[in-house]
Amino acid sequence: MRVLVLFLLFLSISLAQLKVVATYPWIGELVREIGKDRVSLYVIAKGTEDPHFVVPKPSHIAKMRDADLLIVQGASLEVGFLPPLLQQSNNPKIQPGRQGYLDLSQFVELIEKPVNISRAMGDVHPEGNPHYQLDPHNIPPLARAIAERLCQLDSPNCSYYRGNLEEFLKRWNARLTEWDREFAKLKGIKVIQYHKLYDYLLQRYGMVLVGTLEPLPGIPPTGKHIEGLISQAQGVKFILQDVYHEKRTAQFVAQRLNAKVVILPHDVGAVLEAKDLFSLFDEILRRLSQ
Amino acid sequence: MKKAILLLSVFSFAFAQDSLEELKRQLEEQRRQIRELEKKIEALEKQKLEAKEEVKEEQKPAPADRTLQLRVKYEERLKAFQVYPFRQTAFLPDLSLIVDTSLVGRNKNDQELKRLEIPGLYHRHGSEEHGILNKNRGFNLNYAELYLYAPVDPYFDLYATIPFSEDGAEVEEAYAVTRGLPFGFQFKVGKFRSSFGRLNAQHPHVWDFANQPLVYKVFLGDDGLKEKGVQLNWIAPTPFYLLFGVEVLQGENEQSFGTEGFKVNTRRDGSGTDITIGDTKKPNLYVGFVKTSFDVGDLSVLTGLSFATGHSRINHLEGDDPHAFAGKTKLYGFDLTAKYMIDSYRYISFQGEYLYRDQKGTRYGYNNAGDLRTAELKKEQGGFYTQLVFKFDRRWRAGVQYNLINKNDVKRNGVKRNLPDNLPAYYAMLEYNPTEFSRIRFQVGQNRAFFHDGKRKTVNEVILQFNFAIGAHGAHPF
């Protein structure tokens, strides 16, 4: 008996690398930038998946069982798949309220927080729009939050994480100046998007959102809504299309409005070119600048 | 015993260690806050001093004014009327209500259907009819299920499922689950759906078809295996999913187990002497299971083995054909699910389960003259279901299910009874899901397992099912 307990203790101590599970690839990228080889990383969702509809596979449970830290996007984006995984993970360290649970939505200003809420309004999140990763100015505070939490959980490596953070922020801020300059050229252009996915980007750079193809969040386009949208919209330059929804509606609307369909990555790995956080925003910029 | 105590002490030690850590952390946090506050106070005092000096130079406010101001402020506070200072709404648990209603068309009327039996496996008896979905022709309100969840404290989560029917409410599930056991363990206590098999632990509203599979109906009953008891499960520290679990349950299941003893009279009319069959030992049912899962690209496979063993007391002494059974039952289960994800909204899922029952004991029944006849009864029965579900659009799913009971060996006093062992049922469904919260399902089916007076009676049915959920967001099932 004693031997077994000792063995288990030994097992948990001997694996020195901090084990981190992130729900989405972009969070994983931040962890990689700051933790580098001192953390082992597992990412639940794929960049090509609809972030609202990730399949709660049992294989994720096996990874969460051993995790020291679970980092989530929050704002109810993961409500459909994370609660059962967390409950079945049998891991007290990563339960909400513990140090091993980090909700990044706590560190940014969420927009579009509804005053009233009802499911009759579609899939509205009470906390506000959860797709905040698409404002590049939101990344530095999130990187800092991750570094601080890694420090708390793994204090011997704290200076290493802080060093990586500073180095990352330096590179990021340099690119940020460039992005700000380049995106500024897009100010005032009118766009339509499928889902309210790019609002943070649009708001940051002053692009004008004319409407969404979805009549309500999470409700597929209807003929009536599309006709209404087409009759009201004027001078729309782009239809912003995510990678996971059907693209016929966007093409139809683009044709009618003489606009262009732009398939825009929302996460690392959504399109081939978006290999990491830097190339994600580079690619967004490139696709919007054509 | 010693071992148990040692184990317990280890657990409590781990708990204590945990909370100690937590306390330490909180203390540290508080210290830090105090330090910050001290700094702030220092800074403020400094400012104040500076300000005072400035004020001295300028003009002092009249002290009378200041007392007046204070008094006004205090009086305001004194007059303030607190309506309900002990409001606890912030602690309201997650609540949801799931309503299931259906329209059924069937080639047998409800009275005929009640009389049908599956020989050696299933027959309806008496007034105990709850749990049967889509029971009547025409409209059915299958359930309005209230679901509650909230953490109890840092150590437990509590779940309860209370389905309301037109006749009343029952506590289908009410159990607590640990939040903080170390080393991958989890403990469950209360009344819950056993993790035996694949489908049993799932709520009917996440099933892919309107009815439960035939093997579940005959071996576990219309309600499934829902028992009071405890479960301990452990996830192995392997890179793939590997779960072991044991359950100790009361074992009151009416199809295969049962705990309550009974009295049989040697004469059917009650004029003979009573023979008393005692209760089983309680708890009565032990369940063990192992489940594993792995991914191959976009294909996820989940498979498991289950075992249940317990004593049986089946009492059908009230009714036209009074009989009873006392003995032992073993149930074996194998399940396999393979789900191929095409994209975020589309998948193809194969699911199948094989269940096998081994039952031995004494049967009590009456002959034509009304005399009690006891017989040694031995049942070896098995069957399976397989289903294929294709989610071909974000809102649409279609599926087929094939049920077959292909082993039905029943021996009385060593003599094999001639019972049918080719009992199939077929179902097909088409589903429209406007959102995750509503579902409209059309199902057609043919059940060729039912018999009456030794003749097979084919039951054909069509079901239009509506399912709605309000309140807290339920999780998507795997």
Side-chain angles (χ1 to χ4, degrees), chain A residues 182-201:
Chain A
E182 291 302 312
F183 274 114
K185 294 176 186 163
L186 297 166
K187 192 174 174 179
I189 65 161
K190 289 181 177 176
V191 297
I192 287 175
Q193 60 181 344
Y194 191 100
H195 176 73
K196 290 177 91 60
L197 184 61
Y198 305 105
D199 290 30
Y200 285 85
L201 183 77

Side-chain angles (χ1 to χ4, degrees), chain A residues 1-2 5 8-9 11-12 42 46 48-63 65-66 79-81 83-84 87-93 95-99 119 123 194 214 218-220 242 244-246, chain B residues 3 6-7 10 18 22 25 154 157 159 177 179-186 233-241 243 293 295 297-298 300 302 339 341 344-345 394-395 434-437 469-478:
Chain A
M1 189 65 220
R2 233 171 263 169
V5 171
L8 285 170
L9 280 173
L11 207 72
S12 54
Y42 180 76
K46 284 189 286 192
T48 47
E49 279 179 308
D50 183 339
H52 306 81
F53 293 93
V54 178
V55 183
K57 294 180 191 172
S59 52
H60 301 320
I61 297 172
K63 304 293 180 189
R65 180 223 191 259
D66 293 322
V79 73
F81 64 95
Q87 197 256 323
Q88 292 174 69
S89 71
N90 293 12
N91 183 350
K93 286 186 279 186
Q95 300 298 321
R98 297 298 193 98
Q99 218 167 13
R119 292 254 164 76
D123 182 27
Y194 191 100
E214 291 180 332
I219 305 291
D242 52 67
Y244 47 84
H245 280 117
E246 50 87 18
Chain B
K3 266 187 188 171
L6 200 65
L7 190 70
V10 167
D18 234 25
E22 186 77 0
R25 199 175 62 76
D157 281 335
Y159 297 82
V177 182
R179 288 169 69 90
L181 288 192
F183 309 126
F185 284 98
Q186 187 185 65
N233 69 60
W234 179 61
I235 305 179
T238 44
F240 58 93
Y241 177 73
L243 177 83
S293 176
D295 295 346
D298 289 322
S300 286
L302 171 67
K339 193 168 183 175
M341 305 300 304
S344 273
Y345 310 114
R394 186 167 174 182
R395 291 175 145 181
T435 63
E436 302 158 67
F437 308 101
I470 56 169
H473 193 303
H476 313 148
F478 166 65

Side-chain angles (χ1 to χ4, degrees), chain A residues 217-271:
Chain A
I219 305 291
T222 59
K224 199 178 153 196
H225 172 73
I226 293 300
E227 284 307 319
L229 190 64
I230 288 170
S231 67
Q232 281 169 19
Q234 273 177 350
V236 173
K237 191 165 182 208
F238 295 127
I239 315 284
L240 306 183
Q241 173 72 45
D242 52 67
V243 294
Y244 47 84
H245 280 117
E246 50 87 18
K247 295 164 186 68
R248 291 186 309 273
T249 316
Q251 271 145 11
F252 172 76
V253 174
Q255 212 171 24
R256 290 279 299 272
L257 289 176
N258 207 13
K260 200 172 165 203
V261 179
V262 178
I263 293 176
L264 220 50
H266 67 290
D267 199 339
V268 174
V271 298

Side-chain angles (χ1 to χ4, degrees), chain A residues 93-259:
Chain A
K93 286 186 279 186
I94 57 166
Q95 300 298 321
R98 297 298 193 98
Q99 218 167 13
Y101 179 85
L102 181 62
D103 176 354
L104 294 180
S105 72
Q106 303 297 315
F107 299 90
V108 292
E109 201 74 39
L110 295 183
I111 60 171
E112 297 162 13
K113 185 176 158 57
V115 182
N116 297 305
I117 192 156
S118 155
R119 292 254 164 76
M121 296 150 70
D123 182 27
V124 188
H125 297 243
E127 301 88 344
N129 188 322
H131 308 290
Y132 55 79
Q133 80 275 17
L134 288 175
D135 178 353
H137 287 264
N138 277 343
I139 298 297
L142 300 177
R144 202 163 278 134
I146 290 173
E148 281 313 304
R149 190 53 66 90
L150 289 177
C151 268
Q152 287 171 2
L153 290 169
D154 183 19
S155 42
N157 284 319
C158 189
S159 54
Y160 177 77
Y161 298 136
R162 290 221 170 107
N164 288 344
L165 171 73
E166 290 314 316
E167 190 263 343
F168 168 75
L169 288 180
K170 213 195 241 167
R171 277 188 293 140
W172 188 263
N173 287 330
R175 301 288 298 141
L176 206 49
T177 341
E178 272 176 57
W179 286 327
D180 282 351
R181 195 177 58 232
E182 291 302 312
F183 274 114
K185 294 176 186 163
L186 297 166
K187 192 174 174 179
I189 65 161
K190 289 181 177 176
V191 297
I192 287 175
Q193 60 181 344
Y194 191 100
H195 176 73
K196 290 177 91 60
L197 184 61
Y198 305 105
D199 290 30
Y200 285 85
L201 183 77
L202 303 182
Q203 188 170 311
R204 168 65 60 187
Y205 295 114
M207 287 174 259
V208 181
L209 178 64
V210 177
T212 57
L213 298 182
E214 291 180 332
L216 295 167
I219 305 291
T222 59
K224 199 178 153 196
H225 172 73
I226 293 300
E227 284 307 319
L229 190 64
I230 288 170
S231 67
Q232 281 169 19
Q234 273 177 350
V236 173
K237 191 165 182 208
F238 295 127
I239 315 284
L240 306 183
Q241 173 72 45
D242 52 67
V243 294
Y244 47 84
H245 280 117
E246 50 87 18
K247 295 164 186 68
R248 291 186 309 273
T249 316
Q251 271 145 11
F252 172 76
V253 174
Q255 212 171 24
R256 290 279 299 272
L257 289 176
N258 207 13

Side-chain angles (χ1 to χ4, degrees), chain A residues 22-42:
Chain A
T23 46
Y24 298 106
W26 71 269
I27 301 175
E29 282 305 314
L30 277 179
V31 174
R32 224 189 295 274
E33 291 283 359
I34 295 156
K36 298 222 163 102
D37 56 335
R38 307 259 165 105
V39 301
S40 77
L41 174 70
Y42 180 76

Side-chain angles (χ1 to χ4, degrees), chain B residues 390-439:
Chain B
F390 181 24
K391 190 167 184 230
F392 57 94
D393 179 89
R394 186 167 174 182
R395 291 175 145 181
W396 291 89
R397 294 202 308 164
V400 288
Q401 189 187 55
Y402 174 60
N403 290 269
L404 182 69
I405 290 168
N406 56 358
K407 187 168 173 65
N408 194 8
D409 286 355
V410 179
K411 283 180 187 158
R412 264 193 214 167
N413 290 329
V415 182
K416 194 177 163 189
R417 294 185 68 207
N418 186 24
L419 294 180
D421 59 359
N422 174 29
L423 304 166
Y426 322 90
Y427 297 96
M429 68 87 182
L430 180 67
E431 224 177 65
Y432 177 66
N433 296 278
T435 63
E436 302 158 67
F437 308 101
S438 57
R439 163 181 299 149

Side-chain angles (χ1 to χ4, degrees), chain B residues 212-268:
Chain B
Q212 94 238 77
L214 198 56
V215 277
Y216 268 74
K217 187 182 181 75
V218 298
F219 294 142
L220 303 174
D222 291 300
D223 271 337
L225 196 57
K226 284 184 293 217
E227 296 277 354
K228 297 179 278 283
V230 293
Q231 182 193 82
L232 182 70
N233 69 60
W234 179 61
I235 305 179
T238 44
F240 58 93
Y241 177 73
L242 182 60
L243 177 83
F244 296 91
V246 287
E247 292 171 354
V248 179
L249 305 170
Q250 190 71 354
E252 292 169 327
N253 181 274
E254 78 281 7
Q255 275 303 108
S256 287
F257 302 101
T259 56
E260 297 299 313
F262 47 83
K263 271 184 190 156
V264 282
N265 199 281
T266 50
R267 290 281 304 159
R268 186 176 174 170

